[in-house]
Amino acid sequence: MAGNEQGSPQIRVVSVAYNPNDELTDMLDSLPAAVGGMAFETVVVNNGSSTPALEAARSRATVIDAAANLGYGKANNLGVRGFAGPWLLIVNPDVRFEPGSVERMVAVAANYPRAGAFGPKIMTPEGEVYPSVRQFPRLVSGTGHAIFGRVWPGNPWTTRYHANGATDSTHSVDWLSGACLLVRREAFEAVGGFDTDFFMFFEDTMLGEDLARAGWERVFVHDAVAVHDQGKSWRERPEPMMREHHESAYRYLSKVYAEPWQAPLRAAIKVGLNVRLARELRAQRA
């Protein structure tokens, strides 16, 4: 495995790439300063085609060519396979770390021995805080947010959905964005990794649910910072991703409300999500 030269790696960095460009190079460039003195190794799982940036990455990362688009969760599970160190750093190629950010999360972990996942404060390239810390979606808050979040940002359902999203302190949360996630290998293995029923979207939310059921906390670290240029890999093909997002939202809520007597709830959720998708597709085409 490719990495730094500081001995047995404490961290395996895993990044799933789909036709990456310079953002992958920028992410890899930011890693040494982010981890500080910790030994790490890097694995890039190639879910798409070869690009100059991907070929250049082979000199400092182990590149696994998946030969097909496995989806986000399955590709990450492949990338972590066989690692024996304590930490996994799951990160999108379009994330750039601020110096010391990963080292800071590991330091905070000493205060949370039963925490399985840690997330940094994620910023947009424009300097705004990205909402990477959220409450588990439930029938009222999740569906209300899905239907009204874009057209009425201050609605009570979206407000509730973001209830544990304070970004000025380190605290336990429901779930953290999979764009950048430090995970204890022990915890990741205990829950079987990412749920591979999800091709893309909501696998990070489901991981939070699985960790919670297994007794592992999830912790937001406010003074560890990363910058995320969200969606750079699929910005030119938004409609398939919009459809996948809504399908994954329904799949997730179907797992939450899986009892036979909850079938009417699942039907109502599906109708609401279909209405939202149709509205967003019309807006996209316009």
Side-chain angles (χ1 to χ4, degrees), residues 16 47 69-77 136-138 175 191-210 213 243-258 273:
V16 175
N47 261 0
N69 190 349
L70 302 178
Y72 189 75
K74 186 177 290 187
N76 271 299
N77 289 350
F136 289 134
R138 290 297 181 259
W175 68 276
V191 300
F194 284 111
D195 187 331
T196 56
D197 286 345
F198 298 85
F199 179 79
M200 188 174 183
F201 304 116
F202 282 86
E203 63 283 299
D204 47 5
T205 319
M206 200 71 235
L207 179 65
E209 296 269 15
D210 292 340
R213 280 194 293 270
R243 294 182 186 278
E244 186 63 39
H245 184 273
H246 285 73
E247 289 176 11
S248 291
Y250 177 71
R251 188 172 296 113
Y252 167 79
L253 289 169
S254 294
K255 287 176 177 280
V256 173
Y257 299 103
L273 288 170

Side-chain angles (χ1 to χ4, degrees), residues 95-136:
V95 167
R96 176 176 51 79
F97 294 99
E98 292 296 304
S101 53
V102 178
E103 189 175 30
R104 176 59 183 159
M105 286 191 285
V106 174
V108 167
N111 299 321
Y112 294 89
R114 283 302 300 171
F118 299 82
K121 180 184 291 184
I122 297 179
M123 309 293 293
T124 69
E126 296 74 29
E128 298 178 356
V129 178
Y130 174 75
S132 61
V133 184
R134 297 180 180 178
Q135 189 179 61
F136 289 134

Side-chain angles (χ1 to χ4, degrees), residues 149-167:
R150 295 286 182 88
V151 297
W152 180 17
N155 72 78
W157 302 282
T158 295
T159 300
R160 181 181 174 189
Y161 182 48
H162 293 165
N164 62 12
T167 58

Side-chain angles (χ1 to χ4, degrees), residues 58-75:
R58 294 181 189 273
S59 65
R60 50 180 170 166
T62 297
V63 177
I64 300 174
D65 293 300
N69 190 349
L70 302 178
Y72 189 75
K74 186 177 290 187

